[in-house]
Amino acid sequence: ISSKSGKNDNIKSNIISKKRPSPRNSDTAKPSNKLQRTVNNSGKNKVNEKSRTSSTTRSAFTDKNFSTLNVVQEIKDAIAKVFQYELMTKCQEMSIPKTLNGDDALVKAKTGTGKTLGFLIPAVNRLHLNTTPNDRNGIVSILIISPTRELASQIEEEALQLTSFLRLNVQCCFGGTNIKKDLSKFRRLNFPDILVGTPGRVNDLLENHGLQSAMSGLNCLILDEADRLLDMGFRPDLTRMLNMLPTKN
């Protein structure tokens, strides 16, 4: 769960102690049934022309390098070569190691301090380690809910960059567009590995267009800018959505 309302660069982390079998390698291990729920209240680094780097981000840098993270090389390559980042922000340094094993977390920090990569890196790393392409066939493994189409599109862009060297599919869905385009892409991909969307459109797809069946193997749920989702009146939509998703256990 992430939120942008943080007055300080502080972070809270709630850890759920329901342990699952140890993660497997990408070829032999069985997919975990654990549903990780990461709620992000709202959230870059060595200056990159494609980034939204700001003075807020630069002031949040630590001396901790992304290369020290215990993640697969493909993710490290994307961070170094695509994002061209070296140092983590305080938010990333505190949240990523805690969530790499699938623990739940609530992250609160200022806008622009890297919360998006903070939740994408552990979610994508676990997905790559714990599943094979066959496991993911016809399944949405990571669901990210964002309050606006603009924010959803930004998350999609960062997810595409982060998965540059991985065989993972990303799709973004939001209202105000022709739903037939979403359904056409569902058919072409046999559902994406990572789905980013706004509450209304995702609920429509769950209730009326077969998305619920593709959520049977959901591994990670992320609520981006959770405070804003609630401020904008999405609590009933989120409650309805949770009732259509597999239970955590």
Side-chain angles (χ1 to χ4, degrees), residues 137-198:
N137 188 34
I139 295 295
V140 174
S141 298
I142 298 173
L143 176 62
I144 305 170
I145 302 300
S146 187
T148 69
R149 65 178 68 187
E150 293 80 13
L151 291 170
S153 297
Q154 290 173 11
I155 295 169
E156 178 194 27
E157 179 184 350
E158 291 198 39
L160 287 168
Q161 290 176 302
L162 187 64
T163 57
S164 296
F165 304 105
L166 294 169
R167 295 173 57 192
L168 296 174
N169 297 312
V170 182
Q171 182 174 348
C172 185
C173 301
F174 45 76
T177 59
N178 191 334
I179 200 168
K180 291 181 179 179
K181 292 183 178 179
D182 297 334
L183 300 177
S184 175
K185 193 166 184 179
F186 279 175
R187 289 190 293 269
R188 179 165 58 83
L189 298 176
N190 196 13
F191 292 102
D193 301 305
I194 302 169
L195 179 64
V196 187
T198 51

Side-chain angles (χ1 to χ4, degrees), residues 39-59:
V39 185
N40 180 17
N41 292 336
S42 79
K44 250 180 159 219
N45 194 338
K46 181 177 179 181
V47 176
N48 165 14
E49 290 179 358
K50 294 183 179 180
S51 78
R52 296 178 292 279
T53 304
S54 66
S55 57
T56 302
T57 310
R58 292 193 293 273
S59 67

Side-chain angles (χ1 to χ4, degrees), residues 4 35 49 73 75 80 86-87 92 103 118 138 159 170 173 195 212 220 225:
K4 72 170 184 179
L35 170 57
E49 290 179 358
Q73 189 60 46
I75 289 179
E86 291 180 1
L87 300 177
Q92 293 162 343
D103 287 336
V170 182
C173 301
L195 179 64
Q212 188 172 4
C220 181
E225 297 209 14

Side-chain angles (χ1 to χ4, degrees), residues 40-236:
N40 180 17
N41 292 336
S42 79
K44 250 180 159 219
N45 194 338
K46 181 177 179 181
V47 176
N48 165 14
E49 290 179 358
K50 294 183 179 180
S51 78
R52 296 178 292 279
T53 304
S54 66
S55 57
T56 302
T57 310
R58 292 193 293 273
S59 67
F61 287 163
T62 66
D63 59 0
K64 197 77 168 179
N65 200 298
F66 277 106
S67 63
T68 64
L69 288 174
N70 185 25
V71 297
V72 297
Q73 189 60 46
E74 291 89 343
I75 289 179
K76 291 183 179 181
D77 288 344
I79 293 170
K81 298 175 183 179
V82 180
F83 289 100
Q84 299 177 21
Y85 293 169
E86 291 180 1
L87 300 177
M88 287 185 273
T89 63
K90 185 176 181 180
C91 167
Q92 293 162 343
E93 180 187 3
M94 296 179 73
S95 64
I96 295 174
K98 290 182 179 293
T99 51
L100 280 174
N101 64 352
D103 287 336
D104 290 356
L106 184 150
V107 180
K108 180 179 180 181
K110 292 179 180 178
T111 296
T113 52
K115 289 187 297 297
T116 302
L117 273 185
F119 63 67
L120 282 175
I121 289 172
V124 170
N125 189 70
R126 292 187 70 244
L127 181 60
H128 178 69
L129 288 177
N130 296 345
T131 64
T132 67
N134 284 338
D135 295 330
R136 299 191 298 270
N137 188 34
I139 295 295
V140 174
S141 298
I142 298 173
L143 176 62
I144 305 170
I145 302 300
S146 187
T148 69
R149 65 178 68 187
E150 293 80 13
L151 291 170
S153 297
Q154 290 173 11
I155 295 169
E156 178 194 27
E157 179 184 350
E158 291 198 39
L160 287 168
Q161 290 176 302
L162 187 64
T163 57
S164 296
F165 304 105
L166 294 169
R167 295 173 57 192
L168 296 174
N169 297 312
V170 182
Q171 182 174 348
C172 185
C173 301
F174 45 76
T177 59
N178 191 334
I179 200 168
K180 291 181 179 179
K181 292 183 178 179
D182 297 334
L183 300 177
S184 175
K185 193 166 184 179
F186 279 175
R187 289 190 293 269
R188 179 165 58 83
L189 298 176
N190 196 13
F191 292 102
D193 301 305
I194 302 169
L195 179 64
V196 187
T198 51
R201 176 53 59 92
V202 169
N203 277 347
D204 189 1
L205 291 166
L206 285 168
E207 291 171 332
N208 305 311
H209 299 282
L211 179 59
Q212 188 172 4
S213 63
M215 291 291 175
S216 60
L218 185 65
N219 179 263
C220 181
L221 171 64
I222 298 162
L223 303 180
D224 183 50
E225 297 209 14
D227 52 349
R228 189 168 172 188
L229 281 166
L230 298 178
D231 289 344
M232 293 174 67
F234 284 123
R235 182 185 292 272

